[in-house]
Amino acid sequence: MPYPYQDSSLSIETRVVDLLSRMTLEEKLQQMSVRNGSAEGPGTAARVNNQTQKREIESNRHGIPMLLSRETSHGMANAGVTSFPASIAMACSFDDELIHRIGRAISKEAAAQNIRQGLSPVLDICRDPRWGRQEETFGEDPHVTGRLGVAFIKGLQNDGDLKSGILATPKHLVGYAASEGGKDNDPINITERDLHETYLPPFKAVFQQADAQSVMICFGALNGVPCTLDKRIVTDLLNEWKFNGFVIDDCPGIAGLIGHRAARDMKEAIGLAVNAGIDRQFWNYCGVLPTWEAGQGEFEKHLGELVREGVVPESRIDQAVSRVLRAKFRLGLFEAPYCDPAEAERVATDPAHKALAREAAVKGAVLLKNDGGVLPLDAGKIKKIAVIGPNAAEGQLGDYSGTPTHVVSPLEGIRAAVGAKVEVMYAKGCEILSAALVIQRFSVRLSGNLKVEVDDTYRLVLESNDGVRLMLGGKKIIDDWTPGPRRRREVTLPLTKGGHPITIEYFRGTKLLVTDENDPTAYHNALRLSWSHGQSALAVIPDDSYTLATKRSIQAEGSGEGLTMEVFFGANFDQPQPEQTRVVKDVDFSWGEASPILATAAENAEQHSIDEAVAIAKNADVAVVFVGETSSRKGAQQVCGEHFDRADISLTGSQEKLVLAVCATGTPTVVVLVNGRSLAMPKIVREAGAILEAWYPGQEGGHAIADLLFGKEVPSGKLAASIPYSAGQLPVYFARRPRMGWYIDEKSEPLYVFGFGLSYTTFEYTDLKISRREVSATVRNTGARDAVETVQLYLEPATCSFSTPLKRLVGYQRVSLKAGQSTTVKFLLSAEDFTQHDQDFKPRPVDSPWKIQLGPNSATGLTGTLML
């Protein structure tokens, strides 16, 4: 006879109460840690997750299964699964139904691998693109973020049927993206009014409309109080919204309380967080202990002590564990704890998911400029096309991405679109980062000849930071390919008189954020080879630094004979060709944080690459330049994503120089931005013929971009985040309160406003009608192409006893219209649309004339007044 908790015919609450009553304190604590599943390919991950699950079930006397999680913002962060466009691109589609389908596809791929909790979506409102994680958000507006968040979570949770879905975990409650200066995890200062009107509404929406079953708490300090210990956020708000799932901290939210100086040690931090309402911890020993299991064990030890000492009541533990068990019962894990690896492989390769990724990339791209109808390109009239730029031959996925089996680059997409009819010429032009890169991460290889005059035993000493290898006579005699501070390696060996081929390889990979207070030079670039024989002192080979030689020269005994130095971009030697080659005499590179040799090599290589791009542009009928950013953590050029915040949000390196040089050729030039944040680019906007904002378009991005460039698809995306002229302008989001100040050296308005986006056709708005219950207008496609227009409705009170946003988005609709077709677009109004928070931050109707704006973006449209 099974225990009640094993009987699936009983109610979930009955099963939870029964199981909890049978558990010891130690068994309860084991339920209070988030555990990630395997990140390997679908079949392998499924098998590994099954094995992990089997060990867990067999190791506890109640047979309680695990709940495994993964990042799922725009696809699982796994190998071999579908990678959809970044969230900011998805948001620019303004397509709730599309976002629901994406959530459902991700849910199917995750559940097939026994991943039943997705750590997404990000509901942070991002109004400062200096923050590197803007790419993970749905943009700057709470209405858009709330609607798309609801759609995405309903998709993940299979519209409430959790037995064939996964738990969603909206994050980061609350204010994470509003940190000072756009710097990750800096203090967050949000007024009580903005908190209620802007930052909390998306979370409230997903709990009340989509029944999100988990939530992640921001690890920042909101108005001076760390969110992880703020009971008002972790418990009171969630109770007010009738949230019935479980709460997790963000890695490492609990440990971060020590950094916030709110706790003296981990034990105290755990007590504060759990008492505030944190139900599960998310690897708070990251970087301290080697494994998740070790961190979980340390957490359980401390929390058990806190319970026995009376600091944390066991009733709080029971509450937390009940929430976790309830989720596992809802998911059906007790009845079906395993997955089918063959099904995992099948779902991950579903052609419908690949098609969905392509559709999303098309709908999320925004046409910003199209002077003279440069786009769409006519493949029948073009004989030669120049494809240029650092993001042309490599597909960009964004941060927290998986590694799909294949990523379609823009270059591949264009070649596939035109076939053999058009000659496609390619030049990289420049790197994402240029001269700055060699200061931070680079590689060099030196090769030459070590000449000795006598047979003897020699002592060779190689000093450097980071990784270094030494080969002598083809034999590797020093091999220390690891990052770290400056250190010495030495070897003693016999050498005969004469020349000995010598090769030194070195990489500079340590981030500049790493410092040593006791030795500020410990992480400076350094590469120094010295030698001695017999009783002689160590001598540097040679002793003159920074010397560039144009030819081999006769040198003193023990010197290198005109060593050749190859400069590589990136901390490796995987590239087929070095970026630059120089002949140097010295191998003593104690250059601190700058190297004249490397800077010269980088600048020369870059100019040569730009010249190549200009040459092919001059020889082409049209040039398409792909510039922007990368969030890939695999290379040395990451400039966007978590911890990659920027003070300057213009194009990095020589990308602007490249674009302007191509434009100057007179060849019609299309610029495609592949990036994760709003970029300031007024010069490019002035010079380029057309600009397409593609964001990080996912694994099918190359095909989607080609579809748009050649007119197979018509652009329909609208900006979910304003684009500024410069970082100094910020903030420029549209829903600002009245202001009376201005700059003397910069515009106050953005370069491109929220909601902006062009098409290959034109739309006309007429016949605005306004009533208390409804706003309507006629929208007509006045061009020659069938297309989609996103109609937007904004409201603004004429007067109010407290400061309100100049305008507020309250509705949007995607309308599909054939050429010449018109339709009436209607928006229903509710009392909530005319509600603002009063001086006591309580919602109440505003008795005022209301300005109504219905149109294509936040700056233009039909306007009228509604008298309440």
Side-chain angles (χ1 to χ4, degrees):
M1 186 73 177
Y3 294 117
Y5 77 86
Q6 296 172 315
D7 187 348
S8 61
S9 67
L10 298 177
S11 70
I12 288 177
E13 291 308 310
T14 299
R15 299 176 75 183
V16 169
V17 170
D18 178 67
L19 178 52
L20 191 67
S21 70
R22 302 176 187 278
M23 298 172 70
T24 64
L25 174 62
E26 287 68 27
E27 289 170 337
K28 295 173 186 176
L29 298 178
Q30 291 171 7
Q31 300 298 310
M32 294 182 65
S33 290
V34 176
R35 291 288 298 277
N36 268 356
S38 170
E40 298 183 75
T44 301
R47 285 186 288 272
V48 170
N49 292 338
N50 280 346
Q51 292 166 2
T52 302
Q53 185 73 283
K54 187 173 187 292
R55 285 196 302 269
E56 179 68 16
I57 291 173
E58 292 177 350
S59 66
N60 73 84
R61 63 194 181 101
H62 304 295
I64 302 173
M66 295 188 73
L67 171 55
L68 297 173
S69 67
R70 292 296 298 168
E71 297 286 349
T72 52
S73 289
H74 55 119
M76 270 206 302
N78 278 39
V81 294
T82 309
S83 184
F84 296 93
S87 297
I88 189 65
M90 288 195 271
C92 290
S93 73
F94 282 74
D95 191 334
D96 301 22
E97 187 270 340
L98 171 72
I99 305 307
H100 180 275
R101 285 190 284 136
I102 291 173
R104 188 70 195 105
I106 294 170
S107 175
K108 288 179 180 179
E109 294 189 10
Q113 296 183 29
N114 218 359
I115 299 298
R116 305 303 300 278
Q117 179 182 10
L119 303 178
S120 67
V122 172
L123 298 184
D124 296 296
I125 302 298
C126 183
R127 293 176 165 179
D128 191 337
R130 291 176 296 179
W131 191 54
R133 301 185 74 173
Q134 186 185 45
E135 65 184 76
E136 297 179 57
T137 75
F138 290 134
E140 71 181 49
D141 182 68
H143 181 76
V144 172
T145 299
R147 278 182 55 171
L148 298 185
V150 167
F152 190 75
I153 288 172
K154 284 184 175 180
L156 289 180
Q157 297 189 165
N158 194 27
D159 296 304
D161 182 9
L162 289 175
K163 291 188 177 179
S164 54
I166 67 173
L167 298 183
T169 308
K171 56 188 183 183
H172 308 80
L173 187 66
V174 61
Y176 181 34
S179 54
E180 290 180 348
K183 297 190 295 294
D184 198 74
N185 203 22
D186 260 24
I188 304 163
N189 293 300
I190 301 174
T191 67
E192 197 72 14
R193 179 171 305 284
D194 280 333
L195 188 65
H196 287 283
E197 292 181 353
T198 302
Y199 295 94
L200 290 176
F203 288 95
K204 180 179 180 180
V206 299
F207 296 133
Q208 295 188 339
Q209 299 174 36
D211 195 24
Q213 289 295 296
S214 181
V215 63
M216 181 182 287
I217 303 299
C218 170
F219 54 36
L222 174 63
N223 298 331
V225 182
C227 295
T228 307
L229 60 71
D230 192 344
K231 188 173 182 291
R232 182 184 65 146
I233 292 173
V234 181
T235 296
D236 297 344
L237 269 175
L238 294 173
N239 288 342
E240 180 184 327
W241 294 335
K242 310 299 182 186
F243 172 70
N244 61 5
F246 60 81
V247 182
I248 68 174
D249 74 323
D250 191 4
C251 172
I254 295 175
L257 295 179
I258 301 172
H260 286 302
R261 299 191 294 184
R264 290 164 293 184
D265 54 32
M266 275 298 295
K267 183 175 177 179
E268 183 178 12
I270 290 169
L272 290 170
V274 173
N275 278 335
I278 299 294
D279 298 319
R280 306 190 89 191
Q281 68 94 18
F282 185 25
W283 200 14
N284 276 276
Y285 294 86
C286 177
V288 178
L289 295 175
T291 64
W292 287 78
E293 292 85 349
Q296 180 178 342
E298 195 72 9
F299 173 80
E300 292 169 11
K301 182 188 78 172
H302 286 314
L303 186 51
E305 292 170 355
L306 289 166
V307 173
R308 286 185 282 272
E309 292 165 5
V311 176
V312 176
E314 189 163 357
S315 60
R316 171 78 266 273
I317 303 300
D318 288 348
Q319 180 187 53
V321 176
S322 293
R323 292 170 175 172
V324 175
L325 294 176
R326 189 176 295 116
K328 292 181 178 183
F329 282 123
R330 285 174 176 165
L331 289 163
L333 281 170
F334 281 81
E335 289 71 47
Y338 304 113
C339 62
D340 179 0
E343 178 67 4
E345 293 278 7
R346 187 198 68 77
V347 173
T349 56
D350 188 339
H353 292 184
K354 182 184 293 187
L356 181 59
R358 185 168 178 167
E359 177 188 351
V362 166
K363 289 182 174 179
V366 184
L367 183 61
L368 299 178
K369 182 180 180 182
N370 193 22
D371 279 6
V374 174
L375 293 176
L377 303 175
D378 188 343
K381 295 181 180 180
I382 295 173
K383 295 181 179 180
K384 294 181 179 181
I385 181 170
V387 179
I388 296 166
N391 277 339
E394 181 178 356
Q396 297 291 346
L397 300 176
D399 208 355
Y400 285 102
S401 289
T403 51
T405 303
H406 180 65
V407 179
V408 181
S409 71
L411 178 61
E412 179 185 348
I414 288 173
R415 282 174 170 159
V418 301
K421 297 178 294 183
V422 178
E423 181 183 352
V424 179
M425 302 176 289
Y426 164 70
K428 191 171 190 178
C430 68
E431 300 286 340
I432 295 290
L433 289 172
S434 53
L437 169 64
V438 299
I439 296 173
Q440 295 188 50
R441 292 189 181 186
F442 59 86
S443 308
V444 298
R445 179 186 288 124
L446 300 123
S447 54
N449 208 38
L450 175 64
K451 187 171 67 175
V452 298
E453 298 298 328
V454 296
D455 296 350
D456 205 342
T457 298
Y458 287 79
R459 177 186 171 210
L460 299 180
V461 179
L462 194 56
E463 183 178 3
S464 80
N465 65 310
D466 291 336
V468 70
R469 298 184 182 116
L470 173 63
M471 283 74 75
L472 194 63
K475 182 180 179 182
K476 190 181 297 181
I477 60 173
I478 293 178
D479 187 5
D480 181 9
W481 207 245
T482 57
R486 186 166 179 158
R487 56 201 183 274
R488 291 160 60 101
R489 304 86 162 172
E490 62 179 81
V491 63
T492 301
L493 73 168
L495 292 177
T496 57
K497 179 180 177 180
H500 299 268
I502 185 172
T503 300
I504 302 169
E505 294 180 340
Y506 162 72
F507 83 82
R508 156 65 163 177
T510 306
K511 293 183 181 179
L512 299 182
L513 295 174
V514 181
T515 59
D516 185 339
E517 294 179 359
N518 298 319
D519 181 6
T521 67
Y523 290 91
H524 283 185
N525 304 324
L527 179 59
R528 185 180 180 91
L529 176 65
S530 51
W531 66 280
S532 69
H533 72 97
Q535 300 300 313
S536 65
L538 286 172
V540 178
I541 306 178
D543 58 6
D544 55 336
S545 298
Y546 306 145
T547 304
L548 283 167
T550 57
K551 60 182 181 180
R552 295 182 182 275
S553 58
I554 300 173
Q555 300 174 10
E557 176 186 345
S559 67
E561 293 183 339
L563 294 175
T564 298
M565 181 178 76
E566 300 168 298
V567 180
F568 294 81
F569 291 122
N572 60 71
F573 289 100
D574 293 337
Q575 298 90 336
Q577 295 293 330
E579 295 293 340
Q580 183 62 286
T581 298
R582 283 290 181 269
V583 177
V584 297
K585 286 171 59 180
D586 66 277
V587 288
D588 179 8
F589 295 156
S590 300
W591 52 67
E593 287 300 341
S595 164
I597 295 172
L598 292 170
T600 300
E603 290 168 7
N604 291 345
E606 197 162 71
Q607 187 58 55
H608 177 70
S609 190
I610 291 174
D611 291 344
E612 285 184 335
V614 168
I616 69 165
K618 287 179 178 178
N619 193 36
D621 299 308
V622 65
V624 186
V625 189
F626 291 86
V627 290
E629 300 177 296
T630 176
S631 294
S632 171
R633 295 178 181 270
K634 296 177 181 177
Q637 301 200 54
Q638 183 175 357
V639 295
C640 194
E642 186 170 7
H643 303 311
F644 283 82
D645 311 316
R646 294 175 54 202
D648 179 0
I649 54 171
S650 57
L651 284 168
T652 53
S654 294
Q655 293 184 91
E656 182 179 277
K657 180 180 179 182
L658 170 67
V659 173
L660 297 180
V662 173
C663 291
T665 64
T667 299
T669 302
V670 178
V671 174
V672 181
L673 299 170
V674 180
N675 51 295
R677 58 157 62 85
S678 297
L679 294 172
M681 48 179 180
K683 291 182 181 178
I684 290 174
V685 170
R686 185 173 63 245
E687 299 297 331
I691 302 174
L692 180 69
E693 173 60 87
W695 305 106
Y696 292 137
Q699 70 176 59
E700 297 300 307
H703 288 319
I705 290 170
D707 289 344
L708 292 164
L709 292 177
F710 292 98
K712 182 179 179 181
E713 299 282 356
V714 177
S716 63
K718 302 278 189 172
L719 288 177
S722 306
I723 296 178
Y725 280 88
S726 69
Q729 266 191 307
L730 297 172
V732 293
Y733 59 90
F734 83 93
R736 300 189 65 196
R737 304 183 193 283
R739 69 246 193 223
M740 301 175 189
W742 61 86
Y743 295 112
I744 63 170
D745 58 350
E746 185 60 275
K747 299 175 185 294
S748 294
E749 300 305 317
L751 181 60
Y752 289 107
V753 299
F754 174 88
F756 179 84
L758 301 175
S759 176
Y760 291 156
T761 187
T762 52
F763 298 96
E764 179 184 61
Y765 287 73
T766 58
D767 197 22
L768 177 66
K769 295 181 179 178
I770 301 172
S771 73
R772 178 65 181 80
R773 296 181 179 275
E774 182 180 277
V775 175
S776 66
T778 298
V779 181
R780 181 168 177 261
N781 181 347
T782 55
R785 294 292 303 267
D786 299 349
V788 171
E789 170 72 331
T790 298
V791 183
Q792 302 157 45
L793 177 64
Y794 298 85
L795 299 184
E796 173 193 348
T799 61
C800 191
S801 58
F802 42 87
S803 182
T804 62
L806 289 173
K807 59 184 65 175
R808 184 162 51 94
L809 179 70
V810 297
Y812 59 81
Q813 293 181 36
R814 283 176 59 90
V815 180
S816 181
L817 294 171
K818 295 185 180 300
Q821 182 184 9
S822 63
T823 189
T824 299
V825 180
K826 297 179 180 180
F827 290 90
L828 298 178
L829 300 174
S830 67
E832 187 177 352
D833 293 327
F834 301 98
T835 296
Q836 299 281 359
H837 287 79
D838 62 19
Q839 288 90 335
D840 297 320
F841 311 113
K842 302 296 183 183
R844 70 172 174 85
V846 175
D847 186 12
S848 163
W850 283 77
K851 181 179 177 181
I852 309 294
Q853 176 185 307
L854 189 150
N857 58 64
S858 62
T860 60
L862 303 175
T863 60
T865 302
L866 174 64
M867 304 296 296
L868 289 185

